[in-house]
Amino acid sequence: MREFEATAEATRPPTWAHKQRALFDLTGDAVDRFVADYTGPDGEPFWPPDDHVGVDGFDDVVEGFYNWPLVYAMGGDERLLDHARRVYEAALERGAETETPFGHPMVVDEFEQCRDWFHLGEGNLYTYNMGLAAPDDDAVVDRARKFAELYTADSETGNYDAEKRVVRGPMNGSMGPEFCDFSAYEHHPYGADYRWARHGLPWRDLEFDEAADLLDPANEERLFEVLNERCAKGDIPLNLNITSLMTNAYLHTGDDRYREWVTDYLDAWRERTAENGGIIPDNVGHSGEIGEYTDGSWYGGYYGWSWGGWHYIGIGPTVAAENAVLLEGDREYLDFPRSQLDILIENGIEVAEDDVHSTLYIPHKYGGEGDYHYDASGVLTEDDGEVLWRDGWYEFQPHTDDPYAVHLWYMSMRDEDRNRVRQLRDWGKQDWRRIDPRAKTKHGDGHEYAWLAYLDGEFPDYPDRILEATREHVDERLRLFDAEGNEPTTVDEDYLRDRNPAFHKALLQLTMGAPQPVYYGGLVMAQVRHFDARRERPGLPAGVAALVESVTKDGVELTLVNTGARWEEVVVQAGAYGEHRFTTVETDGVERGVGEGGADADTADDGGTDALRVRLPAGSRMSLQAGLDRFVDDPSYDYPWSETGS
C-alpha cells in the first residue's frame, strides 16, 4: 500500500469541510434522539400493532433506519451502527410475530415471506449497507449467505428454476412464490379504489371498456380474478434485483456460485429481450415463454410496461448490469439498460420550452388501444385531454427517473452516455444549478443533475449548498421531534421512514464521488472509499473531511482535510469494494508512484495499487489526482489491510 504524508497547512479549512464534519456529528446525535423517541426500550418499532394481519410494510419499517450503517461506513459515529443492529434485530422479531393471511408470519427465517422485488429491494438496502459497515460481523455474513441461498437451484423455496433460468413468481421470498393472492385484502390493497385508470392491464383487452368501470366495487371480484390469472405467477424484470442479493453474498464470500447466478440470470433476460425484438418483455411464464399468462402479450405483467412503465422496468436492467460489471469487469453488460433507454429516446417527442431549448418527452408506458381518458399530470395529451397514445407508447413526459441514465454514465464513463444525460434534460423544470431544501421523494432524488453540473465545473458552490440543504433537512426532523413531544402523533408502517433524521446522499457524492444507489435494490458504486487506519474501521477518521472534485474516464481528483486536533491516517481505496486500481497519483501537483513504498518513495514498482495510505497531521490537507483503471480487480467487502477473505 503506497504511503503519503500531507505537508500543506489548512489553518483555515474550507467551509465544506467544517459543514461535512458537523453533519456527521449532528446525524449521530439526531439518531440517538430518534431511537429514544420512536422505538421501544429494546429498540423495537411500534408497528405493526399486535393484532395486525398482512404482508405489506416490513420494508417500510426497515427504510426508517436502513442508511445508518451507510453513514457510519462513510465516517459517522459508531452509535449509528449500534443503533442499526439493535433496531433491525427488534424489527425482525416483530415481523416474525406478525401474521399473514396464509398461516405463517410476515417474516420467516429473517426474510420476508413472499413479496415483490420493488419492496424487497428497498428493505434489503440495509443488508447491503451492513456489508460496507461490518463485513467482519458473523451475523452479517451468515445472513448474506442465507438470503442468497433462498434463490439457488436447490433451495427448498422453489423460487428459482435454474434450467429455465426463471424466477417462478413476481412475488417470492423465504416461503417461495406460491403465496400471492390479490383477492386477500391484507395482501394488497389493489381493490376498486386503486389507481387502475393509469394501468393498461388487467382491463384494456377484457370486458372493461372504460377506466371508470374499474372504480365500481361491483367489478372488484372480477378484477382480482384477472390479476391472479395474469400477474400472480411467472417472471418479471423486477426480479433482476435478486442479482444484488447474490452479489452481496459474493462480496462476503468470494464463492463463484453467486457470481455465476448473476450472469446466467442476466443473460436469460437479455436473450428474452432479443427474442422480443429488442424490448424487454415484462412477463415470462414458468416455461420460459413470453406472455404465457397474458394471451401472448409481452406487456401487461406485474409492475410492467403498462402497470408502472419505465419507472419499474428500468430498475432491474440497471441494477443487474451494474452488478455484472462489478463482478466480471466487462462493461458490455451496460448495453442492456442502454438499449432500453435508447428505444424510449427514439420514440420521444421534442417539446419546445423557449426559443433556444427543447425537452425530449419520452414514453414511459406501453399498452394496447383503448380508453386513455384519465388524470395524468405532466404528460402529453390529445386536444380532448386524452393521454397521447402512439403505436402502443403512452405517457410521454420528461425522463423522470434520472438515476437510470446517470448510473449508466457513471458505470461506463463513456462520453455518449454523458450526452444521453444531457439529451434527457428537462429544460422546463429542472435547473441544474439549484438545490431544493426539501427532498422530492422518500429516497431524496432530484440532485443528480446539480451534482453533475458541479463535476463539470458549472456549479462550484454545490458542496456547500448541498451540505447546507442536508443540514436543514436534519434540523427539520428535529423540529418535528420537538413538536411531537417524544412520541409519534401517528404510527403506521411509514412512521419511522418519515422521521429518519439520517441523510446520506450528499455524503456519498462528496466523499466517495458516488451517486445514490438505485433505491429499489442497487448496491453502492463508488470511485473511492475511505477507512480509518488508526482505528481499523470503515469511514473517514474523526475530524477528517473529503471532497471528490472531479470524476472523469481517466480518474478522480480528491481533497482530504484534517480539521481535528490530532494526526490521522486515512486509507483511500479505489472503488467501494477495491474493484478499481490507482494507476497514477499526484499529491499537491507532484507526481508520485503508486507501487509499494514509504512516504518518500516517488516511483512505482508495479502497475498500480487498490489503496493509498495518507497521513494527515492536525490542521493539514492534501489534494490527490489519481488515475483509475476501473473494474479490474476482484471486488470484496474485505478491509484493505485484510490478507484473507471472509
Side-chain angles (χ1 to χ4, degrees), residues 71 340 617:
V71 176
Q340 302 309 291

Side-chain angles (χ1 to χ4, degrees), residues 84-210:
R85 283 182 171 127
R86 187 160 159 261
V87 178
Y88 182 65
E89 296 293 341
L92 287 176
E93 184 174 339
R94 200 167 189 89
E97 296 170 347
T98 300
E99 292 302 316
T100 69
F102 309 118
H104 56 254
M106 178 186 289
V107 174
V108 177
D109 201 18
E110 301 187 319
F111 199 86
E112 286 199 69
Q113 55 95 38
C114 184
R115 288 288 277 144
D116 58 76
W117 271 91
F118 185 80
H119 295 94
L120 286 174
E122 292 174 330
N124 275 289
L125 291 174
Y126 173 88
T127 302
Y128 313 144
N129 289 338
M130 284 298 290
L132 293 169
D136 53 353
D137 184 329
D138 289 342
V140 172
V141 180
D142 289 345
R143 283 178 178 137
R145 289 194 184 100
K146 179 169 66 174
F147 294 171
E149 292 295 326
L150 295 171
Y151 294 90
T152 56
D154 57 355
S155 171
E156 294 181 358
T157 62
N159 282 320
Y160 187 59
D161 181 340
E163 180 183 354
K164 299 294 186 182
R165 293 180 296 172
V166 165
V167 176
R168 296 181 60 254
M171 298 186 192
N172 44 78
S174 56
M175 293 299 290
E178 307 302 329
F179 295 97
C180 180
D181 179 2
F182 286 93
S183 64
Y185 176 78
E186 297 90 348
H187 194 168
H188 275 300
Y190 291 154
D193 57 350
Y194 188 63
R195 53 183 182 274
W196 285 117
R198 297 195 64 164
H199 301 308
L201 281 178
W203 61 280
R204 291 196 194 280
D205 63 333
L206 297 173
E207 61 265 37
F208 304 118
D209 296 325
E210 298 180 0

Side-chain angles (χ1 to χ4, degrees), residues 34-35 38-50 52 55-66 68 82-99 105-113 123 126-127 143 147 492-493 495-497:
F34 174 88
V35 171
Y38 298 112
T39 68
D42 296 319
E44 66 272 18
F46 300 145
W47 192 93
D50 292 339
H52 183 79
V55 301
D56 190 20
F58 183 77
D59 62 294
D60 300 303
V61 172
V62 177
E63 285 177 87
F65 56 88
Y66 80 100
W68 301 353
D82 293 340
H83 285 314
R85 283 182 171 127
R86 187 160 159 261
V87 178
Y88 182 65
E89 296 293 341
L92 287 176
E93 184 174 339
R94 200 167 189 89
E97 296 170 347
T98 300
E99 292 302 316
M106 178 186 289
V107 174
V108 177
D109 201 18
E110 301 187 319
F111 199 86
E112 286 199 69
Q113 55 95 38
Y126 173 88
T127 302
R143 283 178 178 137
F147 294 171
D492 56 18
E493 64 268 34
Y495 92 97
L496 288 177
R497 187 189 69 199

Side-chain angles (χ1 to χ4, degrees), residues 566-582:
R566 59 168 299 169
W567 68 268
E568 299 290 355
E569 279 193 355
V570 182
V571 173
V572 183
Q573 179 176 273
Y577 316 101
E579 69 273 21
H580 307 326
R581 289 187 72 80
F582 294 116

